[in-house]
Amino acid sequence: MKHVYVKGTNDDAMTFVLLHGTGGNEKDLLGLGRQIDPEANLLGIRGQENENGMPRFFKRLGMGVFDLDNLSMRTKELAAFLDEAAEQYAFNREKVVILGYSNGANIAANLFFEIGNVAKGAILHHPMVPREDITLPSLEGLNVWIGAGNNDQMCPIDQSKGLQQYLEQQGADVEMYWHAYGHQLTMDEVQDAKAWYDRHFK
């Protein structure tokens, strides 16, 4: 998978897996990862699907309607790549936090839905419920932060709350942050994610 890896300044640091939104690339969230943890390793990954020239992590059939077969295939590929990257770059596979925005947050959520505890934690900006047709694995020990907007037209409130419920039902510890805006990232949202991260991983 096309990616970029930036080694952190602390050998014992966490590794952020950075998953961009539709139309982004492997470098989009490097600055965000660095804001949340200046010492962390950063692994930015580019989605392998192409929608009208825009990279995505999986196909969709329409706005908010996911191609579930493609989602499952791409999720398994991503999980395998995380193991390969840990070996290639010699980072601790047990100290990984996934940081995703929009489309990237959705495939991150599906990693937990289909694969299980592939990371110690996740920061999910404006995610949706990836699918409702499977039985989720146990997610005991997983810490998740979800950022959402009360006026997000691309990610309705019930989607964010639904994802929280799914994860909590399987034993994950989930913290929600709401702002009054839409699908965009806000500085307050980023600061809240950092405060959550510092409490759980510093």
Side-chain angles (χ1 to χ4, degrees):
M1 299 182 75
K2 193 172 179 69
H3 67 280
V4 60
Y5 181 76
V6 181
K7 184 170 174 55
T9 58
N10 180 347
D11 288 341
D12 197 40
M14 301 295 290
T15 297
F16 280 138
V17 175
L18 307 170
L19 306 176
H20 62 78
T22 299
N25 61 49
E26 66 275 19
K27 297 180 180 178
D28 267 18
L29 300 184
L30 292 175
L32 179 59
R34 189 56 73 226
Q35 273 185 276
I36 293 176
D37 187 347
E39 297 183 328
N41 303 311
L42 304 176
L43 176 63
I45 302 173
R46 181 183 295 194
Q48 298 189 93
E49 294 294 344
N50 186 303
E51 181 181 276
N52 301 319
M54 298 183 297
R56 279 179 57 87
F57 285 97
F58 58 90
K59 292 179 182 178
R60 58 183 169 183
L61 305 176
M63 190 63 71
V65 183
F66 301 158
D67 182 328
L68 297 182
D69 289 339
N70 181 264
L71 171 61
S72 185
M73 177 190 75
R74 292 303 190 188
T75 297
K76 291 178 175 67
E77 285 180 351
L78 180 56
F81 177 74
L82 295 186
D83 293 336
E84 294 166 10
E87 189 170 332
Q88 179 180 353
Y89 297 111
F91 63 76
N92 187 342
R93 187 65 185 81
E94 300 300 313
K95 301 188 70 173
V96 168
V97 171
I98 299 175
L99 196 166
Y101 168 65
S102 192
N103 177 240
N106 292 337
I107 197 167
N110 200 57
L111 281 169
F112 300 120
F113 272 44
E114 289 201 42
I115 311 295
N117 280 358
V118 296
K120 287 296 183 187
I123 295 172
L124 306 179
H125 294 281
H126 304 262
M128 297 174 67
V129 176
R131 63 193 313 149
E132 298 182 316
D133 60 334
I134 59 172
T135 300
L136 274 62
S138 171
L139 297 172
E140 290 287 343
L142 175 66
N143 291 291
V144 179
W145 179 97
I146 296 175
N150 282 312
N151 293 291
D152 190 338
Q153 300 302 310
M154 296 182 67
C155 180
I157 289 174
D158 63 339
Q159 286 287 318
S160 302
K161 290 182 175 178
L163 179 59
Q164 178 185 15
Q165 290 171 356
Y166 273 112
L167 296 174
E168 288 182 339
Q169 284 168 3
Q170 300 310 119
D173 185 299
V174 183
E175 184 171 316
M176 290 285 302
Y177 174 83
W178 292 91
H179 63 58
Y181 306 103
H183 201 62
Q184 72 270 34
L185 282 175
T186 69
M187 185 52 66
D188 286 347
E189 183 178 348
V190 173
Q191 290 172 347
D192 194 82
K194 175 174 172 51
W196 170 88
Y197 173 84
D198 288 346
R199 288 196 302 274
H200 286 86
F201 299 104
K202 284 297 211 177

